[in-house]
Amino acid sequence: MTWESRLIDWFKANQRVMPWRSNPQPYYVWVSEMMLQQTQVDTVIPYFNRFITRFPTVKSLAEAPLDDVLKLWEGLGYYSRARNLHKAAGIVVQGHKSILPSDYDELQTLPGLGPYCAAAITSIAFGHPVPVVDGNVLRVFTRFWGIFENITKQTTRKMLFNRLISSVESVDPSDFNQGIMELGALVCTPRNPTCDSCPLQSDCVAYATGHILKLPVKDKAKPVPHYNISVGVVWLNNKVLIGKRKEDQMLGGLWEFPGGKHEEGEEFSDTCVREIKEETGLAIEIEKQYCIVKHAYSHFKITLHAFKCQVLGGELEAKSASELKWVSLDDVDTYAFPKANKVVLEHLSKDSTLLF
Ligand code: SF4
């Protein structure tokens, strides 16, 4: 029995239940693959179910306002995925009669679909023999074949892609690709691979040579920068001020409390006063420190200092947000916020003194 066949048998016996697996129609596979980038399966499942209930077809997604899509994506992070999915849905409806293309290269012309996602969709939804190459696949095969090339290099990814073509062509492409990804997630894990339950063990070079934890080879992680951010929960007539981030920014299209980066030597409260003046034109005074929230993004970390503020004067003008709005606490939950702001909101609704 070939290792490819052993992998597929293992996958059939051990695969986890996922809603897009029981009904792998192209739209479902597409949505799931967009959600699964940088995100664990268990986190994705409830988001996927809510998303498909609200947008059951590509047409319903294309016709929905982006704000609705972002609201359903709230908390999942990497919001460019949601913006790209929404934009691509419009293109599929307009340019492809609402039918997702099946071809690997054509899929990559859609926003948000790189080689990995395109390979996953074309193989899982359409059965085309294109190998997927993601972090799990790179880990499994650098170990399996004993490859010490740096996996952050394009040349290494390309070499593995080419080497996998004959394998994916020899069996069911959907089961093969999903099998490797599942093996990487469940068995050939980064730190504690369970080689004794691995269907590839008898041919695995890293297992035979004792090099498992030396692979894969990759660049050392760079130190993650940290920023202090001050934001103001600015109150006027029992409403709070929120701003919408511009679509070309990180977290674009989401709403947030106005504020910005702390500068060397400033008090965090002074940062809040300065940033709100610069971003909204309003002069404010700080009433109290409200809460401190720590949050990690993929490439940096923040500590967010939130203050309760009252308006002293000035003309409201959206200087860096695409839009500013005064909203009541009853309505604020209908807007999509990034995670750190969401934590501020949770504190806000508990702090009844803020209502007066
Ligand atoms: Fe990974 Fe161990 Fe399987 Fe080799 S035998 S592919 S190292 S789990």
Side-chain angles (χ1 to χ4, degrees), residues 41-186:
V41 169
D42 290 347
T43 308
V44 165
I45 288 174
Y47 278 92
F48 175 86
N49 287 334
R50 282 195 294 271
F51 199 91
I52 292 300
T53 303
R54 170 70 178 79
F55 309 119
T57 61
V58 66
K59 193 161 181 290
S60 59
L61 174 59
E63 286 170 352
L66 176 61
D67 280 345
D68 291 9
V69 179
L70 289 170
K71 183 65 191 165
L72 272 185
W73 208 274
E74 189 183 48
L76 201 53
Y78 303 95
Y79 295 90
S80 60
R81 297 179 298 175
R83 291 194 301 275
N84 281 330
L85 183 59
H86 182 250
K87 199 168 167 191
I91 295 169
V92 170
V93 169
Q94 295 291 322
H96 299 272
K97 298 183 179 152
S98 300
I99 296 167
L100 188 67
S102 63
D103 179 72
Y104 177 56
D105 292 325
E106 202 174 354
L107 280 166
Q108 289 181 66
T109 64
L110 294 173
L113 287 184
Y116 165 76
C117 247
I121 295 169
T122 199
S123 61
I124 298 169
F126 300 103
H128 295 184
V130 180
V132 290
V133 179
D134 71 345
N136 280 334
V137 176
L138 287 164
R139 184 171 59 256
V140 171
F141 284 105
T142 51
R143 287 173 175 174
F144 182 58
W145 284 322
I147 293 170
F148 279 79
E149 304 294 327
N150 186 333
I151 59 161
T152 49
K153 288 190 176 155
Q154 263 317 314
T155 47
T156 310
R157 289 167 174 254
K158 190 76 195 152
M159 179 263 287
L160 276 163
F161 178 91
N162 289 335
R163 202 165 161 177
L164 283 165
I165 289 174
S166 59
S167 294
V168 77
E169 282 174 347
S170 70
V171 286
D172 180 285
S174 170
D175 286 347
F176 180 81
N177 281 339
Q178 292 190 81
I180 307 168
M181 293 190 279
E182 200 75 331
L183 191 77
L186 300 179

Side-chain angles (χ1 to χ4, degrees), residues 140 143-144 183 187-188 193-195 198 200-201 204 206-207 212:
V140 171
R143 287 173 175 174
F144 182 58
L183 191 77
V187 176
C188 194
T194 49
C195 299
C198 178
L200 308 186
Q201 191 201 68
C204 178
Y207 180 79
I212 295 169

Side-chain angles (χ1 to χ4, degrees), residues 186-214:
L186 300 179
V187 176
C188 194
T189 52
R191 272 174 291 281
N192 295 304
T194 49
C195 299
D196 286 343
S197 56
C198 178
L200 308 186
Q201 191 201 68
S202 57
D203 300 306
C204 178
V205 173
Y207 180 79
T209 56
H211 288 144
I212 295 169
L213 295 184
K214 290 187 183 145

Side-chain angles (χ1 to χ4, degrees), residues 127-305:
H128 295 184
V130 180
V132 290
V133 179
D134 71 345
N136 280 334
V137 176
L138 287 164
R139 184 171 59 256
V140 171
F141 284 105
T142 51
R143 287 173 175 174
F144 182 58
W145 284 322
I147 293 170
F148 279 79
E149 304 294 327
N150 186 333
I151 59 161
T152 49
K153 288 190 176 155
Q154 263 317 314
T155 47
T156 310
R157 289 167 174 254
K158 190 76 195 152
M159 179 263 287
L160 276 163
F161 178 91
N162 289 335
R163 202 165 161 177
L164 283 165
I165 289 174
S166 59
S167 294
V168 77
E169 282 174 347
S170 70
V171 286
D172 180 285
S174 170
D175 286 347
F176 180 81
N177 281 339
Q178 292 190 81
I180 307 168
M181 293 190 279
E182 200 75 331
L183 191 77
L186 300 179
V187 176
C188 194
T189 52
R191 272 174 291 281
N192 295 304
T194 49
C195 299
D196 286 343
S197 56
C198 178
L200 308 186
Q201 191 201 68
S202 57
D203 300 306
C204 178
V205 173
Y207 180 79
T209 56
H211 288 144
I212 295 169
L213 295 184
K214 290 187 183 145
L215 291 167
V217 174
K218 50 184 161 185
D219 289 337
K220 275 214 171 99
K222 292 186 185 135
V224 180
H226 171 265
Y227 305 109
N228 279 298
I229 309 282
S230 290
V231 298
V233 180
V234 183
W235 284 86
L236 187 68
N237 301 328
N238 280 337
K239 290 187 171 176
V240 292
L241 184 62
I242 57 173
K244 190 178 196 179
R245 291 179 68 86
K246 288 187 178 151
E247 284 201 12
D248 56 357
Q249 287 181 306
M250 182 187 163
L251 307 172
L254 271 75
W255 293 81
E256 64 182 5
F257 295 111
K261 265 188 207 164
H262 171 253
E263 287 178 3
E264 191 76 37
E266 257 182 344
E267 295 290 328
F268 294 126
S269 55
D270 292 340
T271 306
C272 181
V273 172
R274 174 181 57 74
E275 283 285 345
I276 286 176
K277 181 76 186 162
E278 286 172 9
E279 288 195 1
T280 71
L282 294 181
I284 52 118
E285 69 177 352
I286 304 278
E287 207 174 304
K288 67 175 183 176
Q289 167 115 43
Y290 190 48
C291 62
I292 295 174
V293 182
K294 290 182 186 294
H295 185 67
Y297 292 99
S298 56
H299 296 101
F300 62 93
K301 292 178 182 173
I302 62 162
T303 302
L304 190 142
H305 306 260

